[in-house]
Amino acid sequence: MADEGTETRAQRLERFRPASGMVTPRFSGIASFMRLPVLDPAEAAGEGADRVEIGLIGIPFDGATTNRPGARLGPRAVREASTGTRALNPVTGVAPYALAACADLGDVPVNPVDAAETARRIEAFYRPLAEAGIVPLTVGGDHFVTYPVLRALGAARPLGLIHIDAHSDTDDAQYDGSRLTHGTPFRRAVEAGVLDPRRCIQIGLRGSMDAADEHDWALAQGMRIIAMEEVCARGLPEVAAEARAVTGEGPTYLSFDIDALDPAFAPGTGTPEVGGFTTREVLHLLRALRGLDLVGADVVEVAPSLDPAGITALAGAGIAFEILCLLAEGVAVRQSVA
Ligand code: MN
Ligand code: MN
C-alpha cells in the first residue's frame, strides 16, 4: 500500500492503470481485466490509499440459465480477450485510465448450485463498493447476476436503466414458479424498488416469445421498449436520444446482454436470437450515450464453450472497454464538481 499522506491523485491514477503493452507484451503475465492491477475489494473500498474509482468485477455464475449454460466461464474468457484493449478511445478521444483509478477486483465468490445464496453474496460484495462510491463494471455470468447488483447500487434511491438485449428479462417466473432466473432480473429489481420503471428503457428486443405478457408487464410499469424493428426504422441516433430522454439526469445503470448482438457476431451465448445488432452498431450506440450519470454497468451472457473462435469474448471485451470510457467520463465529471 502506498503512503496515504503523500500520494497525489495523479500518482494514484498512475498506479491503477493497465500494464503497458509497450513495456510487457500483451500475451504475457496473468490475465486481469484490461491488464489492470488486481486489488482486494476491501482495500478498494477502504479509506486507505488503494481506494479506486472504477472496479472491474467478474461474476462467474450461470446457475440461473434456462437454455444453454456456459456463462460461468465468461469472466475468465473476457479477461483473456481484454488484454488486447489499449488505453485510448480513438473515436471519442477518451483515455479512461487518465480519468479514473481502475482495478480488477476479482470474482464474486458464487455458489454455483444455489441462485438465492449467490444473490446474497453478490449483494454483500457490491454494497460496500456502492457505499464507497466505487463504480462497478461487471462481467457475467448469466443475466440473473444483474438483479443483486442493482439491489446494492439502488439501495439508496431507485435507478434508471438502459438495457440492451434481445430479451426483456421481465418474466415473473419460469419452470413452475422459479422466480430467480436470468429471465426475471428486471422484474425483481422493479419489485424491490431499486429501479424506477419510468426511467427504464430496453433496446434491441426481438425473437419469438412464449407469450406477450412479459413485455406487457414491462410496458404497464411504464418501461419503454424499443424493439429491433423500431431500431431499424428510426436509426441509432434517434434511439440514443430517446434513451437519454427516458433516463434523464438521474443515476442510471447500463446493462448489456451480449445476445443483443446478432449470432454472427456473438455465437457464444446461451439464448441467441437472429436479426441482432452488429458489433459496430453497438459501439456507435454506446458512444452516443456519453454524459449520462452512470453509476454502474455490466456485460453478461458471454459463454466461451459455445464460442469456438473467441468472437464473443472479443466482442464482450471491446464493448466493456467502450462502456468503461463512459464510466470514466462520469467519474471525471463527479471529481470536477466535488
Ligand atoms: Mn438478458
Ligand atoms: Mn438476452
Side-chain angles (χ1 to χ4, degrees):
M1 182 183 282
D3 183 342
E4 184 180 353
T6 56
E7 190 184 48
T8 65
R9 182 163 185 272
Q11 287 168 325
R12 196 153 49 100
L13 287 171
E14 274 303 310
R15 281 200 298 132
F16 289 110
R17 58 177 293 122
S20 169
M22 297 292 103
V23 177
T24 56
R26 297 192 167 278
F27 50 83
S28 68
I30 296 167
S32 60
F33 284 123
M34 316 298 185
R35 307 189 84 214
L36 284 163
V38 177
L39 186 62
D40 183 294
E43 294 292 332
E47 294 297 325
D50 282 343
R51 174 173 291 210
V52 296
E53 292 152 339
I54 297 176
L56 286 85
I57 300 158
I59 308 184
F61 179 77
D62 65 8
T65 301
T66 57
N67 193 9
R68 309 187 299 174
R72 66 179 60 184
L73 299 174
R76 196 163 273 192
V78 173
R79 278 193 177 91
E80 162 73 21
S82 75
T83 60
T85 63
R86 301 175 184 83
L88 176 66
N89 186 321
V91 180
T92 62
V94 172
Y97 312 110
L99 298 177
C102 301
D104 184 333
L105 305 186
D107 285 347
V108 176
V110 303
N111 178 335
V113 294
D114 190 334
E117 169 61 15
T118 293
R120 286 189 284 274
R121 294 183 186 186
I122 294 170
E123 188 176 345
F125 189 103
Y126 281 74
R127 231 174 227 281
L129 302 177
E131 285 161 7
I134 294 170
V135 177
L137 174 51
T138 301
V139 175
D142 69 41
H143 219 155
F144 169 68
V145 306
T146 302
Y147 166 52
V149 170
L150 289 171
R151 284 182 63 97
L153 297 187
R157 68 280 180 257
L159 303 174
L161 174 74
I162 297 176
H163 171 206
I164 306 172
D165 198 327
H167 311 100
S168 176
D169 295 345
T170 49
D171 263 325
D172 185 28
Q174 295 173 293
Y175 302 104
D176 292 332
S178 294
R179 291 162 59 81
L180 301 181
T181 82
H182 73 158
T184 66
F186 300 106
R187 187 148 174 168
R188 293 292 92 80
V190 169
E191 290 169 349
V194 294
L195 282 180
D196 175 356
R198 291 156 303 168
R199 293 184 52 235
C200 293
I201 185 165
Q202 304 186 299
I203 300 169
L205 274 53
R206 63 187 192 277
S208 55
M209 299 175 69
D210 291 312
D213 56 347
E214 181 184 1
H215 290 192
D216 292 346
W217 183 88
L219 295 170
Q221 306 307 305
M223 297 170 77
R224 174 74 167 103
I225 292 176
I226 301 186
M228 187 55 87
E229 60 269 24
E230 186 176 350
V231 174
C232 293
R234 294 177 60 202
L236 294 174
E238 273 196 36
V239 171
E242 187 165 354
R244 306 172 74 92
V246 168
T247 53
E249 309 255 296
T252 298
Y253 190 83
L254 172 61
S255 189
F256 189 91
D257 185 327
I258 204 75
D259 70 28
L261 294 176
D262 192 87
F265 300 90
T269 194
T271 318
E273 304 285 355
V274 299
F277 286 111
T278 68
T279 313
R280 185 170 59 192
E281 286 170 334
V282 160
L283 298 180
H284 281 286
L285 177 60
L286 291 172
R287 286 168 193 152
L289 298 177
R290 295 172 72 185
L292 296 173
D293 182 17
L294 293 178
V295 297
D298 60 48
V299 178
V300 298
E301 299 280 359
V302 173
S305 56
L306 303 167
D307 187 28
I311 304 165
T312 315
L314 186 65
I319 289 164
F321 176 77
E322 206 64 48
I323 292 173
L324 179 64
C325 291
L326 298 176
L327 298 179
E329 280 194 293
V331 168
V333 167
R334 283 185 283 259
Q335 279 283 331
S336 68
V337 298

